[in-house]
Amino acid sequence: MTKPVIWITRTLSDATMARARRDYEVIWDAADAPGGAEDIIAMSGQVDGIIPCHSEHFSADVVARLDPRLKIVANHSVGVDHCDLPALGPRGIVVTNTPGVLSDATAELAMMLMLGAARHAVAGDRVVRSGDWDFWSPAFLVGKQITGARLGIIGMGGVGRAFARKARGFDMEIHYHNRNRLTPEDEAGAIYHDTLDDLLAVSDFLSLHCPATPETTGLMNADRLARLPEGCVLVNTARGNLIDETALLQAVEAGHIGAAGLDCFATEPGGNPAFARHDNIMMMPHVGSATVRTRDAMGFKALDNLDAFFAGKPSLDPV
Ligand code: DGY
């Protein structure tokens, strides 16, 4: 029997590539460059399915020009903001994602950024690494303690809940805002705020874990940043466009935001060079899910979704 042909747009884990090559005819380019609009359109006539990452953009314009051969977009990501779902739906193209398997890895990175931002990890590392560490005082690099502090979480899906579990280990008091209130079991003592403004007012630390949608674009704007307590530490491992970066920069420069830990930026790759002027902004290049175990799990989930589709079964992770 001929194998379905799939395009794997980026370099996935070795285990994922091996399994994909066993079960499919795989098109993959070792150059590991993002697929642009014309690449996606051209490839859609040669393949039955695509495993893209968030670096490939299925905009309405691209979707309108896809070849009917393409039947499934099995994303190697939980976020699907790079896919215009209202455009893909009517084309009959199945879209899936990888929920659940990257929650712990992303929550670990959020914890690293929260701790690092709160305790001057950027400045501390630099002064030791550069050989310029020639001074010590009790007043040196004094940070903000997280133990017992109030943590606000926006979005209590898989990643938000995983982050809450880890923060409980630091005795943080968990507050959250979510479209729907969680069950008492999932809340595990977290305090629900039915409005975002209520949550912001109590968030000494704030971590973003909601999807990027037209409604959440610019969610953390100047007005909402101003509602946070003085000195709040803001963490974003979700998507860059949740934050108005100009407003964040102003709030950091005014001292209202005490520190920030960012894994996501409005412009990726690249980030925001203006943030680099501030040691109290700790940054990583969108690598929340980048652990060996999680990359394998994401790749396998994308392949599970393809397998189900080509076996004529219902989608495992439809979006
Ligand atoms: C996701 O899965 O959405 C991560 O941001 C990596 O793409």
Side-chain angles (χ1 to χ4, degrees), residues 217-255:
T217 298
L219 184 76
M220 294 310 298
N221 56 22
D223 175 59
R224 294 207 174 97
L225 290 168
R227 291 172 189 272
L228 291 163
E230 187 84 16
C232 172
V233 174
L234 174 65
V235 176
N236 185 14
T237 54
R239 283 293 184 266
N241 64 8
L242 299 178
I243 295 180
D244 175 338
E245 293 188 346
T246 306
L248 175 59
L249 202 59
Q250 283 165 357
V252 167
E253 287 173 354

PDB file of all heavy atoms in Angstrom, residues 217-255:
ATOM      1  N   THR A 217      -5.484  39.843  21.905  1.00  0.00           N
ATOM      2  CA  THR A 217      -4.380  40.645  21.362  1.00  0.00           C
ATOM      3  C   THR A 217      -4.293  41.962  22.137  1.00  0.00           C
ATOM      4  O   THR A 217      -5.291  42.650  22.315  1.00  0.00           O
ATOM      5  CB  THR A 217      -4.617  40.927  19.856  1.00  0.00           C
ATOM      6  OG1 THR A 217      -4.645  39.673  19.177  1.00  0.00           O
ATOM      7  CG2 THR A 217      -3.514  41.788  19.275  1.00  0.00           C
ATOM      8  N   GLY A 218      -3.097  42.272  22.634  1.00  0.00           N
ATOM      9  CA  GLY A 218      -2.910  43.505  23.406  1.00  0.00           C
ATOM     10  C   GLY A 218      -3.590  43.472  24.761  1.00  0.00           C
ATOM     11  O   GLY A 218      -3.849  44.508  25.362  1.00  0.00           O
ATOM     12  N   LEU A 219      -3.839  42.269  25.272  1.00  0.00           N
ATOM     13  CA  LEU A 219      -4.545  42.113  26.561  1.00  0.00           C
ATOM     14  C   LEU A 219      -3.876  42.940  27.656  1.00  0.00           C
ATOM     15  O   LEU A 219      -4.527  43.656  28.407  1.00  0.00           O
ATOM     16  CB  LEU A 219      -4.530  40.630  26.944  1.00  0.00           C
ATOM     17  CG  LEU A 219      -5.276  40.214  28.203  1.00  0.00           C
ATOM     18  CD1 LEU A 219      -6.778  40.194  27.922  1.00  0.00           C
ATOM     19  CD2 LEU A 219      -4.824  38.832  28.669  1.00  0.00           C
ATOM     20  N   MET A 220      -2.551  42.817  27.766  1.00  0.00           N
ATOM     21  CA  MET A 220      -1.842  43.582  28.787  1.00  0.00           C
ATOM     22  C   MET A 220      -1.408  44.914  28.165  1.00  0.00           C
ATOM     23  O   MET A 220      -0.279  45.100  27.736  1.00  0.00           O
ATOM     24  CB  MET A 220      -0.653  42.777  29.325  1.00  0.00           C
ATOM     25  CG  MET A 220      -1.068  41.524  30.077  1.00  0.00           C
ATOM     26  SD  MET A 220      -2.350  41.814  31.356  1.00  0.00           S
ATOM     27  CE  MET A 220      -1.494  42.926  32.460  1.00  0.00           C
ATOM     28  N   ASN A 221      -2.362  45.846  28.151  1.00  0.00           N
ATOM     29  CA  ASN A 221      -2.104  47.175  27.612  1.00  0.00           C
ATOM     30  C   ASN A 221      -1.765  48.134  28.767  1.00  0.00           C
ATOM     31  O   ASN A 221      -1.661  47.710  29.933  1.00  0.00           O
ATOM     32  CB  ASN A 221      -3.318  47.662  26.803  1.00  0.00           C
ATOM     33  CG  ASN A 221      -4.590  47.644  27.658  1.00  0.00           C
ATOM     34  OD1 ASN A 221      -4.522  47.666  28.893  1.00  0.00           O
ATOM     35  ND2 ASN A 221      -5.744  47.588  27.016  1.00  0.00           N
ATOM     36  N   ALA A 222      -1.575  49.399  28.465  1.00  0.00           N
ATOM     37  CA  ALA A 222      -1.145  50.362  29.489  1.00  0.00           C
ATOM     38  C   ALA A 222      -2.136  50.399  30.643  1.00  0.00           C
ATOM     39  O   ALA A 222      -1.741  50.427  31.828  1.00  0.00           O
ATOM     40  CB  ALA A 222      -0.993  51.744  28.861  1.00  0.00           C
ATOM     41  N   ASP A 223      -3.413  50.388  30.333  1.00  0.00           N
ATOM     42  CA  ASP A 223      -4.441  50.466  31.382  1.00  0.00           C
ATOM     43  C   ASP A 223      -4.353  49.256  32.313  1.00  0.00           C
ATOM     44  O   ASP A 223      -4.382  49.393  33.536  1.00  0.00           O
ATOM     45  CB  ASP A 223      -5.820  50.555  30.709  1.00  0.00           C
ATOM     46  CG  ASP A 223      -6.922  50.516  31.737  1.00  0.00           C
ATOM     47  OD1 ASP A 223      -6.920  51.408  32.620  1.00  0.00           O
ATOM     48  OD2 ASP A 223      -7.773  49.595  31.690  1.00  0.00           O
ATOM     49  N   ARG A 224      -4.230  48.076  31.737  1.00  0.00           N
ATOM     50  CA  ARG A 224      -4.212  46.865  32.583  1.00  0.00           C
ATOM     51  C   ARG A 224      -2.893  46.749  33.343  1.00  0.00           C
ATOM     52  O   ARG A 224      -2.876  46.303  34.499  1.00  0.00           O
ATOM     53  CB  ARG A 224      -4.478  45.624  31.743  1.00  0.00           C
ATOM     54  CG  ARG A 224      -5.904  45.645  31.171  1.00  0.00           C
ATOM     55  CD  ARG A 224      -6.427  44.257  30.918  1.00  0.00           C
ATOM     56  NE  ARG A 224      -7.818  44.301  30.513  1.00  0.00           N
ATOM     57  CZ  ARG A 224      -8.245  44.263  29.253  1.00  0.00           C
ATOM     58  NH1 ARG A 224      -7.368  44.188  28.259  1.00  0.00           N
ATOM     59  NH2 ARG A 224      -9.524  44.305  28.977  1.00  0.00           N
ATOM     60  N   LEU A 225      -1.802  47.152  32.722  1.00  0.00           N
ATOM     61  CA  LEU A 225      -0.520  47.113  33.451  1.00  0.00           C
ATOM     62  C   LEU A 225      -0.596  48.046  34.663  1.00  0.00           C
ATOM     63  O   LEU A 225      -0.084  47.724  35.746  1.00  0.00           O
ATOM     64  CB  LEU A 225       0.631  47.534  32.530  1.00  0.00           C
ATOM     65  CG  LEU A 225       0.993  46.530  31.421  1.00  0.00           C
ATOM     66  CD1 LEU A 225       1.922  47.164  30.387  1.00  0.00           C
ATOM     67  CD2 LEU A 225       1.635  45.266  31.999  1.00  0.00           C
ATOM     68  N   ALA A 226      -1.273  49.187  34.490  1.00  0.00           N
ATOM     69  CA  ALA A 226      -1.382  50.156  35.591  1.00  0.00           C
ATOM     70  C   ALA A 226      -2.204  49.604  36.755  1.00  0.00           C
ATOM     71  O   ALA A 226      -2.069  50.048  37.896  1.00  0.00           O
ATOM     72  CB  ALA A 226      -2.006  51.450  35.077  1.00  0.00           C
ATOM     73  N   ARG A 227      -3.058  48.621  36.494  1.00  0.00           N
ATOM     74  CA  ARG A 227      -3.895  48.045  37.553  1.00  0.00           C
ATOM     75  C   ARG A 227      -3.131  47.033  38.413  1.00  0.00           C
ATOM     76  O   ARG A 227      -3.635  46.584  39.447  1.00  0.00           O
ATOM     77  CB  ARG A 227      -5.126  47.356  36.941  1.00  0.00           C
ATOM     78  CG  ARG A 227      -6.096  48.339  36.337  1.00  0.00           C
ATOM     79  CD  ARG A 227      -7.194  47.641  35.565  1.00  0.00           C
ATOM     80  NE  ARG A 227      -7.968  48.631  34.846  1.00  0.00           N
ATOM     81  CZ  ARG A 227      -9.030  49.282  35.346  1.00  0.00           C
ATOM     82  NH1 ARG A 227      -9.450  49.005  36.556  1.00  0.00           N
ATOM     83  NH2 ARG A 227      -9.658  50.171  34.628  1.00  0.00           N
ATOM     84  N   LEU A 228      -1.949  46.641  37.964  1.00  0.00           N
ATOM     85  CA  LEU A 228      -1.158  45.679  38.744  1.00  0.00           C
ATOM     86  C   LEU A 228      -0.526  46.383  39.945  1.00  0.00           C
ATOM     87  O   LEU A 228      -0.219  47.579  39.879  1.00  0.00           O
ATOM     88  CB  LEU A 228      -0.053  45.083  37.862  1.00  0.00           C
ATOM     89  CG  LEU A 228      -0.542  44.151  36.751  1.00  0.00           C
ATOM     90  CD1 LEU A 228       0.532  43.950  35.690  1.00  0.00           C
ATOM     91  CD2 LEU A 228      -0.967  42.806  37.341  1.00  0.00           C
ATOM     92  N   PRO A 229      -0.315  45.657  41.037  1.00  0.00           N
ATOM     93  CA  PRO A 229       0.369  46.277  42.175  1.00  0.00           C
ATOM     94  C   PRO A 229       1.770  46.759  41.785  1.00  0.00           C
ATOM     95  O   PRO A 229       2.426  46.145  40.936  1.00  0.00           O
ATOM     96  CB  PRO A 229       0.455  45.135  43.205  1.00  0.00           C
ATOM     97  CG  PRO A 229      -0.568  44.138  42.785  1.00  0.00           C
ATOM     98  CD  PRO A 229      -0.694  44.255  41.294  1.00  0.00           C
ATOM     99  N   GLU A 230       2.199  47.842  42.412  1.00  0.00           N
ATOM    100  CA  GLU A 230       3.545  48.391  42.182  1.00  0.00           C
ATOM    101  C   GLU A 230       4.597  47.281  42.350  1.00  0.00           C
ATOM    102  O   GLU A 230       4.558  46.537  43.327  1.00  0.00           O
ATOM    103  CB  GLU A 230       3.774  49.511  43.219  1.00  0.00           C
ATOM    104  CG  GLU A 230       5.024  50.296  43.051  1.00  0.00           C
ATOM    105  CD  GLU A 230       4.855  51.421  42.028  1.00  0.00           C
ATOM    106  OE1 GLU A 230       3.709  51.762  41.689  1.00  0.00           O
ATOM    107  OE2 GLU A 230       5.896  51.926  41.579  1.00  0.00           O
ATOM    108  N   GLY A 231       5.496  47.179  41.405  1.00  0.00           N
ATOM    109  CA  GLY A 231       6.586  46.206  41.539  1.00  0.00           C
ATOM    110  C   GLY A 231       6.231  44.810  41.058  1.00  0.00           C
ATOM    111  O   GLY A 231       7.030  43.868  41.228  1.00  0.00           O
ATOM    112  N   CYS A 232       5.067  44.651  40.447  1.00  0.00           N
ATOM    113  CA  CYS A 232       4.657  43.314  39.949  1.00  0.00           C
ATOM    114  C   CYS A 232       5.711  42.737  38.991  1.00  0.00           C
ATOM    115  O   CYS A 232       6.343  43.456  38.224  1.00  0.00           O
ATOM    116  CB  CYS A 232       3.323  43.452  39.203  1.00  0.00           C
ATOM    117  SG  CYS A 232       2.822  41.941  38.336  1.00  0.00           S
ATOM    118  N   VAL A 233       5.862  41.420  39.063  1.00  0.00           N
ATOM    119  CA  VAL A 233       6.733  40.711  38.123  1.00  0.00           C
ATOM    120  C   VAL A 233       5.825  40.014  37.106  1.00  0.00           C
ATOM    121  O   VAL A 233       4.968  39.200  37.478  1.00  0.00           O
ATOM    122  CB  VAL A 233       7.625  39.686  38.846  1.00  0.00           C
ATOM    123  CG1 VAL A 233       8.424  38.855  37.834  1.00  0.00           C
ATOM    124  CG2 VAL A 233       8.570  40.396  39.815  1.00  0.00           C
ATOM    125  N   LEU A 234       6.007  40.344  35.842  1.00  0.00           N
ATOM    126  CA  LEU A 234       5.141  39.830  34.770  1.00  0.00           C
ATOM    127  C   LEU A 234       5.881  38.750  33.976  1.00  0.00           C
ATOM    128  O   LEU A 234       7.032  38.949  33.571  1.00  0.00           O
ATOM    129  CB  LEU A 234       4.766  40.992  33.837  1.00  0.00           C
ATOM    130  CG  LEU A 234       3.976  40.657  32.575  1.00  0.00           C
ATOM    131  CD1 LEU A 234       2.596  40.110  32.920  1.00  0.00           C
ATOM    132  CD2 LEU A 234       3.832  41.899  31.699  1.00  0.00           C
ATOM    133  N   VAL A 235       5.205  37.623  33.758  1.00  0.00           N
ATOM    134  CA  VAL A 235       5.817  36.504  33.031  1.00  0.00           C
ATOM    135  C   VAL A 235       4.943  36.160  31.826  1.00  0.00           C
ATOM    136  O   VAL A 235       3.717  36.069  31.941  1.00  0.00           O
ATOM    137  CB  VAL A 235       5.944  35.270  33.964  1.00  0.00           C
ATOM    138  CG1 VAL A 235       6.493  34.065  33.190  1.00  0.00           C
ATOM    139  CG2 VAL A 235       6.841  35.588  35.154  1.00  0.00           C
ATOM    140  N   ASN A 236       5.579  35.957  30.669  1.00  0.00           N
ATOM    141  CA  ASN A 236       4.814  35.556  29.479  1.00  0.00           C
ATOM    142  C   ASN A 236       5.520  34.425  28.752  1.00  0.00           C
ATOM    143  O   ASN A 236       6.592  34.610  28.167  1.00  0.00           O
ATOM    144  CB  ASN A 236       4.622  36.743  28.529  1.00  0.00           C
ATOM    145  CG  ASN A 236       3.725  36.387  27.351  1.00  0.00           C
ATOM    146  OD1 ASN A 236       3.040  35.351  27.357  1.00  0.00           O
ATOM    147  ND2 ASN A 236       3.713  37.236  26.334  1.00  0.00           N
ATOM    148  N   THR A 237       4.914  33.242  28.813  1.00  0.00           N
ATOM    149  CA  THR A 237       5.413  32.103  28.029  1.00  0.00           C
ATOM    150  C   THR A 237       4.344  31.649  27.037  1.00  0.00           C
ATOM    151  O   THR A 237       4.403  30.524  26.539  1.00  0.00           O
ATOM    152  CB  THR A 237       5.782  30.910  28.951  1.00  0.00           C
ATOM    153  OG1 THR A 237       4.647  30.607  29.765  1.00  0.00           O
ATOM    154  CG2 THR A 237       6.988  31.206  29.803  1.00  0.00           C
ATOM    155  N   ALA A 238       3.357  32.517  26.771  1.00  0.00           N
ATOM    156  CA  ALA A 238       2.231  32.113  25.918  1.00  0.00           C
ATOM    157  C   ALA A 238       2.435  32.618  24.484  1.00  0.00           C
ATOM    158  O   ALA A 238       2.923  31.871  23.628  1.00  0.00           O
ATOM    159  CB  ALA A 238       0.922  32.611  26.521  1.00  0.00           C
ATOM    160  N   ARG A 239       2.094  33.871  24.246  1.00  0.00           N
ATOM    161  CA  ARG A 239       2.302  34.461  22.927  1.00  0.00           C
ATOM    162  C   ARG A 239       2.638  35.941  23.100  1.00  0.00           C
ATOM    163  O   ARG A 239       2.081  36.627  23.965  1.00  0.00           O
ATOM    164  CB  ARG A 239       1.043  34.337  22.056  1.00  0.00           C
ATOM    165  CG  ARG A 239       0.828  32.949  21.464  1.00  0.00           C
ATOM    166  CD  ARG A 239       1.897  32.562  20.437  1.00  0.00           C
ATOM    167  NE  ARG A 239       1.649  31.278  19.798  1.00  0.00           N
ATOM    168  CZ  ARG A 239       2.154  30.113  20.211  1.00  0.00           C
ATOM    169  NH1 ARG A 239       2.931  30.060  21.282  1.00  0.00           N
ATOM    170  NH2 ARG A 239       1.901  29.003  19.537  1.00  0.00           N
ATOM    171  N   GLY A 240       3.516  36.450  22.220  1.00  0.00           N
ATOM    172  CA  GLY A 240       3.988  37.821  22.346  1.00  0.00           C
ATOM    173  C   GLY A 240       2.899  38.859  22.201  1.00  0.00           C
ATOM    174  O   GLY A 240       2.914  39.886  22.892  1.00  0.00           O
ATOM    175  N   ASN A 241       1.930  38.587  21.320  1.00  0.00           N
ATOM    176  CA  ASN A 241       0.951  39.652  21.073  1.00  0.00           C
ATOM    177  C   ASN A 241      -0.079  39.807  22.188  1.00  0.00           C
ATOM    178  O   ASN A 241      -0.984  40.638  22.092  1.00  0.00           O
ATOM    179  CB  ASN A 241       0.283  39.482  19.698  1.00  0.00           C
ATOM    180  CG  ASN A 241      -0.539  38.219  19.603  1.00  0.00           C
ATOM    181  OD1 ASN A 241      -0.738  37.523  20.604  1.00  0.00           O
ATOM    182  ND2 ASN A 241      -1.016  37.912  18.411  1.00  0.00           N
ATOM    183  N   LEU A 242       0.073  39.057  23.277  1.00  0.00           N
ATOM    184  CA  LEU A 242      -0.795  39.299  24.443  1.00  0.00           C
ATOM    185  C   LEU A 242      -0.404  40.594  25.143  1.00  0.00           C
ATOM    186  O   LEU A 242      -1.171  41.139  25.931  1.00  0.00           O
ATOM    187  CB  LEU A 242      -0.674  38.143  25.448  1.00  0.00           C
ATOM    188  CG  LEU A 242      -1.074  36.751  24.966  1.00  0.00           C
ATOM    189  CD1 LEU A 242      -0.836  35.729  26.065  1.00  0.00           C
ATOM    190  CD2 LEU A 242      -2.546  36.741  24.547  1.00  0.00           C
ATOM    191  N   ILE A 243       0.831  41.053  24.896  1.00  0.00           N
ATOM    192  CA  ILE A 243       1.350  42.230  25.605  1.00  0.00           C
ATOM    193  C   ILE A 243       1.578  43.372  24.626  1.00  0.00           C
ATOM    194  O   ILE A 243       2.155  43.173  23.551  1.00  0.00           O
ATOM    195  CB  ILE A 243       2.684  41.880  26.310  1.00  0.00           C
ATOM    196  CG1 ILE A 243       2.451  40.830  27.408  1.00  0.00           C
ATOM    197  CG2 ILE A 243       3.342  43.124  26.885  1.00  0.00           C
ATOM    198  CD1 ILE A 243       3.707  40.420  28.157  1.00  0.00           C
ATOM    199  N   ASP A 244       1.150  44.576  25.018  1.00  0.00           N
ATOM    200  CA  ASP A 244       1.515  45.789  24.292  1.00  0.00           C
ATOM    201  C   ASP A 244       2.948  46.119  24.738  1.00  0.00           C
ATOM    202  O   ASP A 244       3.166  46.590  25.861  1.00  0.00           O
ATOM    203  CB  ASP A 244       0.536  46.909  24.653  1.00  0.00           C
ATOM    204  CG  ASP A 244       0.909  48.247  24.032  1.00  0.00           C
ATOM    205  OD1 ASP A 244       2.091  48.437  23.684  1.00  0.00           O
ATOM    206  OD2 ASP A 244       0.023  49.106  23.934  1.00  0.00           O
ATOM    207  N   GLU A 245       3.915  45.828  23.876  1.00  0.00           N
ATOM    208  CA  GLU A 245       5.325  45.905  24.297  1.00  0.00           C
ATOM    209  C   GLU A 245       5.763  47.341  24.604  1.00  0.00           C
ATOM    210  O   GLU A 245       6.604  47.568  25.472  1.00  0.00           O
ATOM    211  CB  GLU A 245       6.227  45.264  23.235  1.00  0.00           C
ATOM    212  CG  GLU A 245       5.993  43.754  23.148  1.00  0.00           C
ATOM    213  CD  GLU A 245       6.978  43.025  22.250  1.00  0.00           C
ATOM    214  OE1 GLU A 245       7.712  43.679  21.465  1.00  0.00           O
ATOM    215  OE2 GLU A 245       7.021  41.775  22.333  1.00  0.00           O
ATOM    216  N   THR A 246       5.184  48.314  23.896  1.00  0.00           N
ATOM    217  CA  THR A 246       5.530  49.710  24.188  1.00  0.00           C
ATOM    218  C   THR A 246       5.055  50.077  25.593  1.00  0.00           C
ATOM    219  O   THR A 246       5.775  50.712  26.375  1.00  0.00           O
ATOM    220  CB  THR A 246       4.869  50.656  23.144  1.00  0.00           C
ATOM    221  OG1 THR A 246       5.260  50.200  21.858  1.00  0.00           O
ATOM    222  CG2 THR A 246       5.287  52.091  23.335  1.00  0.00           C
ATOM    223  N   ALA A 247       3.837  49.632  25.916  1.00  0.00           N
ATOM    224  CA  ALA A 247       3.288  49.916  27.251  1.00  0.00           C
ATOM    225  C   ALA A 247       4.111  49.211  28.327  1.00  0.00           C
ATOM    226  O   ALA A 247       4.369  49.778  29.403  1.00  0.00           O
ATOM    227  CB  ALA A 247       1.828  49.468  27.312  1.00  0.00           C
ATOM    228  N   LEU A 248       4.550  47.993  28.050  1.00  0.00           N
ATOM    229  CA  LEU A 248       5.357  47.267  29.043  1.00  0.00           C
ATOM    230  C   LEU A 248       6.692  47.982  29.275  1.00  0.00           C
ATOM    231  O   LEU A 248       7.123  48.156  30.419  1.00  0.00           O
ATOM    232  CB  LEU A 248       5.608  45.820  28.592  1.00  0.00           C
ATOM    233  CG  LEU A 248       6.534  45.010  29.505  1.00  0.00           C
ATOM    234  CD1 LEU A 248       5.989  44.931  30.933  1.00  0.00           C
ATOM    235  CD2 LEU A 248       6.762  43.608  28.961  1.00  0.00           C
ATOM    236  N   LEU A 249       7.296  48.407  28.190  1.00  0.00           N
ATOM    237  CA  LEU A 249       8.570  49.121  28.318  1.00  0.00           C
ATOM    238  C   LEU A 249       8.401  50.371  29.181  1.00  0.00           C
ATOM    239  O   LEU A 249       9.209  50.641  30.089  1.00  0.00           O
ATOM    240  CB  LEU A 249       9.053  49.500  26.913  1.00  0.00           C
ATOM    241  CG  LEU A 249      10.529  49.764  26.728  1.00  0.00           C
ATOM    242  CD1 LEU A 249      11.354  48.549  27.112  1.00  0.00           C
ATOM    243  CD2 LEU A 249      10.793  50.124  25.272  1.00  0.00           C
ATOM    244  N   GLN A 250       7.330  51.112  28.929  1.00  0.00           N
ATOM    245  CA  GLN A 250       7.088  52.331  29.723  1.00  0.00           C
ATOM    246  C   GLN A 250       6.858  51.985  31.190  1.00  0.00           C
ATOM    247  O   GLN A 250       7.356  52.654  32.083  1.00  0.00           O
ATOM    248  CB  GLN A 250       5.883  53.103  29.162  1.00  0.00           C
ATOM    249  CG  GLN A 250       6.237  53.871  27.894  1.00  0.00           C
ATOM    250  CD  GLN A 250       5.014  54.356  27.116  1.00  0.00           C
ATOM    251  OE1 GLN A 250       3.876  54.077  27.494  1.00  0.00           O
ATOM    252  NE2 GLN A 250       5.259  55.059  26.024  1.00  0.00           N
ATOM    253  N   ALA A 251       6.115  50.900  31.434  1.00  0.00           N
ATOM    254  CA  ALA A 251       5.814  50.519  32.822  1.00  0.00           C
ATOM    255  C   ALA A 251       7.075  50.045  33.546  1.00  0.00           C
ATOM    256  O   ALA A 251       7.246  50.297  34.745  1.00  0.00           O
ATOM    257  CB  ALA A 251       4.749  49.421  32.834  1.00  0.00           C
ATOM    258  N   VAL A 252       7.978  49.373  32.820  1.00  0.00           N
ATOM    259  CA  VAL A 252       9.257  48.945  33.418  1.00  0.00           C
ATOM    260  C   VAL A 252      10.119  50.180  33.695  1.00  0.00           C
ATOM    261  O   VAL A 252      10.709  50.322  34.779  1.00  0.00           O
ATOM    262  CB  VAL A 252       9.987  47.952  32.487  1.00  0.00           C
ATOM    263  CG1 VAL A 252      11.428  47.739  32.931  1.00  0.00           C
ATOM    264  CG2 VAL A 252       9.250  46.611  32.450  1.00  0.00           C
ATOM    265  N   GLU A 253      10.177  51.088  32.734  1.00  0.00           N
ATOM    266  CA  GLU A 253      11.026  52.270  32.897  1.00  0.00           C
ATOM    267  C   GLU A 253      10.512  53.178  34.008  1.00  0.00           C
ATOM    268  O   GLU A 253      11.291  53.821  34.707  1.00  0.00           O
ATOM    269  CB  GLU A 253      11.158  53.016  31.562  1.00  0.00           C
ATOM    270  CG  GLU A 253      12.068  52.226  30.618  1.00  0.00           C
ATOM    271  CD  GLU A 253      12.151  52.757  29.188  1.00  0.00           C
ATOM    272  OE1 GLU A 253      11.409  53.714  28.855  1.00  0.00           O
ATOM    273  OE2 GLU A 253      12.949  52.188  28.410  1.00  0.00           O
ATOM    274  N   ALA A 254       9.198  53.170  34.218  1.00  0.00           N
ATOM    275  CA  ALA A 254       8.614  53.976  35.302  1.00  0.00           C
ATOM    276  C   ALA A 254       8.759  53.258  36.648  1.00  0.00           C
ATOM    277  O   ALA A 254       8.433  53.834  37.692  1.00  0.00           O
ATOM    278  CB  ALA A 254       7.140  54.237  35.005  1.00  0.00           C
ATOM    279  N   GLY A 255       9.188  52.002  36.631  1.00  0.00           N
ATOM    280  CA  GLY A 255       9.349  51.241  37.881  1.00  0.00           C
ATOM    281  C   GLY A 255       8.059  50.616  38.366  1.00  0.00           C
ATOM    282  O   GLY A 255       8.035  49.966  39.413  1.00  0.00           O
TER     283      GLY A 255
END
